[in-house]
Amino acid sequence: MKLKLGMIGGGQGAFIGAVHRIAARIDDDYELVCGAFSSDPEKSKASGVALGLSPDRAYSSYKELIEKEKQLPADQRVQVISIVTPNHVHFEPTKMALENGFHVILDKPMTFSLAEAKELEKVVKASDKLFCLTHTYTGYPMVKEARQLVKAGKIGAVRKIYVEYPQGWLSTFLEGNDNKQAAWRTDPGKSGIAGAMGDIGTHAFNLLEYVTGLQVTQLCADINIVVEGRKLDDDGAVLLKLNNGASAVLTATQIAAGEENNVKIRVYGETGGIEWEQWDANTLKVKSNEKPMEIWRTGAGYVSSFATHNTRTPGGHPEGYLEAFANLYHNFALSIKAGIEGTTAAPEALDFPGIEDGVRGMAFIENVIASGKSDIKWTKFNV
């Protein structure tokens, strides 16, 4: 059974919309049946036609999509709506979709502000529909394995975490050169109060809390605008304290010239440590003072059911970003289908980011920016 998928945003020239569509197709769980791909009605129509949709289901706005799809017979109407717009167009379409009976997959960060995130949390809880937030890196098999090892006490109680996300693409004033991706991400009216910390810092924060199973309680942030003329942060570092007493260091920068997207996490406990980085995503390093470092690999027989469930190919065949993204879509589909069939989804299928991750991500943004402007060394992490 394929779920009927609609998309808001992601039209011609967009980056992340194509990634979402590829992810949705990998496991053959979805069929794209409609979309409102652009705020420009003509561009939306053209995008829909290019994707093979019937012209009457390439809508001119998200409101038209939701209103008209709701009127269709149940066997024809869309079931899941994927929202891949800039941050300032997350809240309203998500709220409207959920309130009108559609499941939602939403790109991160969840909303424009923490206030919107809290309001959306109420909408999700009042709805009988499911919600997924695309924090891609939690979809990697060996990230899931890292979480399971920490949870099982393989490295003892967590003491120290280092998580980093370096990029270099905004090392120059790219938004001044008619670059669409740079323009909206550095525009406070579209991105919100944060630049790098919202765009990639939220990924690092989510990865930290996901792998460790812990929550940040205090922070001390240094937030910078390095490129002259830029309106939002493009670099920063944050000291963090967690709810078990552990401490962490998080860095996120978009001005590290020559860097791409090598997000990386190291977690150290009482008896050992683990290390994962996206450039070698099939590998998890497991460390100990008592023996040589172990190299754990995707697809091996010794990994957990959570890692195995999210692996498609035999060991030695690399899987990457698109497959990790697809794992979120696949697990979300399995959970929806379980509801349709009146069964309970397996824990492995329910392991995808949701509304709580989104609220905490927005809280991270607001707390980090506030801390960066404050003279107080440590501030409470307020949600």
Side-chain angles (χ1 to χ4, degrees):
M1 174 182 61
K2 287 189 180 182
L3 298 171
K4 295 178 182 64
L5 179 70
M7 181 166 282
I8 296 172
Q12 293 174 332
F15 153 64
I16 203 65
V19 171
H20 278 259
R21 289 190 292 271
I22 293 168
R25 290 198 300 267
I26 283 180
D27 295 291
D28 221 20
D29 289 319
Y30 301 87
E31 176 188 6
L32 185 67
V33 298
C34 68
F37 301 101
S38 172
S39 56
D40 179 337
E42 292 304 315
K43 187 174 180 179
S44 182
K45 289 281 185 185
S47 297
V49 170
L51 291 168
L53 297 183
S54 171
D56 65 342
R57 296 185 80 177
Y59 299 104
S60 61
S61 70
Y62 72 82
K63 292 182 179 179
E64 183 187 21
L65 183 154
I66 294 169
E67 289 167 356
K68 289 194 173 179
E69 286 293 319
K70 187 179 180 182
Q71 295 170 12
L72 292 176
D75 63 344
Q76 296 179 30
R77 78 171 72 106
V78 70
Q79 295 166 285
V80 184
I81 296 178
S82 178
I83 300 171
V84 298
T85 52
N87 304 352
H88 70 299
V89 195
H90 281 187
F91 175 74
E92 290 294 344
T94 301
K95 179 176 183 290
M96 186 176 181
L98 289 166
E99 290 178 340
N100 282 275
F102 301 109
H103 303 286
V104 172
I105 298 171
L106 178 63
D107 207 41
K108 50 55 55 193
M110 190 166 75
T111 50
F112 188 74
S113 67
L114 179 57
E116 283 187 351
K118 289 181 177 180
E119 182 63 28
L120 193 57
E121 183 178 31
K122 296 176 184 177
V123 174
V124 171
K125 289 182 176 180
S127 170
D128 63 350
K129 300 303 173 184
L130 299 183
F131 173 83
C132 174
L133 188 68
T134 54
H135 274 297
T136 320
Y137 308 103
T138 64
Y140 278 103
M142 297 316 279
V143 168
K144 293 189 178 297
E145 185 66 15
R147 175 180 168 89
Q148 294 304 312
L149 291 180
V150 172
K151 187 176 181 181
K154 177 74 176 180
I155 63 170
V158 173
R159 290 175 167 176
K160 190 76 178 182
I161 308 103
Y162 297 91
V163 60
E164 61 184 69
Y165 199 149
Q167 290 181 342
W169 74 291
L170 287 177
S171 294
T172 61
F173 194 67
L174 203 59
E175 57 267 44
N177 298 327
D178 198 31
N179 183 298
K180 181 179 178 182
Q181 294 299 322
W184 81 256
R185 283 180 166 83
T186 58
D187 181 353
K190 294 181 178 179
S191 183
I193 63 172
M197 279 297 164
D199 193 20
I200 60 176
T202 49
H203 273 311
F205 171 78
N206 180 258
L207 187 62
L208 182 157
E209 291 203 334
Y210 178 79
V211 170
T212 65
L214 302 172
Q215 291 189 328
V216 171
T217 57
Q218 296 181 69
L219 75 163
C220 175
D222 174 41
I223 304 300
N224 307 301
I225 297 176
V226 175
V227 174
E228 186 176 355
R230 185 158 288 156
K231 297 178 181 178
L232 293 174
D233 61 284
D234 50 19
D235 171 75
V238 192
L239 300 177
L240 305 159
K241 293 183 180 179
L242 294 100
N243 57 348
N244 75 330
S247 63
V249 180
L250 182 154
T251 59
T253 183
Q254 293 176 313
I255 51 86
E259 289 291 348
E260 295 178 351
N261 287 279
N262 193 26
V263 57
K264 179 177 180 178
I265 185 168
R266 290 173 288 157
V267 181
Y268 298 99
E270 293 174 328
T271 60
I274 54 175
E275 179 178 333
W276 178 87
E277 59 182 326
Q278 184 171 230
W279 278 4
D280 190 12
N282 279 24
T283 294
L284 179 67
K285 297 176 182 178
V286 181
K287 306 176 182 182
S288 169
N289 286 332
E290 307 302 323
K291 55 184 177 180
M293 181 177 71
E294 298 175 356
I295 303 296
W296 291 42
R297 295 284 289 168
T298 300
Y302 48 75
V303 299
S304 69
S305 62
F306 284 82
T308 300
H309 170 77
N310 289 280
T311 302
R312 296 172 183 78
T313 58
H317 294 77
E319 298 188 25
Y321 177 78
L322 294 174
E323 290 85 356
F325 217 114
N327 286 335
L328 305 186
Y329 267 82
H330 181 53
N331 289 336
F332 193 59
L334 291 176
S335 298
I336 292 171
K337 290 176 183 180
I340 293 171
E341 296 163 359
T343 61
T344 300
E348 292 84 352
L350 293 169
D351 185 21
F352 57 83
I355 191 68
E356 183 180 351
D357 299 276
V359 172
R360 289 193 63 79
M362 292 310 303
F364 170 77
I365 290 172
E366 297 208 358
N367 280 276
V368 159
I369 298 303
S371 175
K373 294 177 179 179
S374 173
D375 292 330
I376 301 173
K377 182 177 180 181
W378 286 99
T379 58
K380 182 181 177 182
F381 187 91
N382 295 305
V383 181

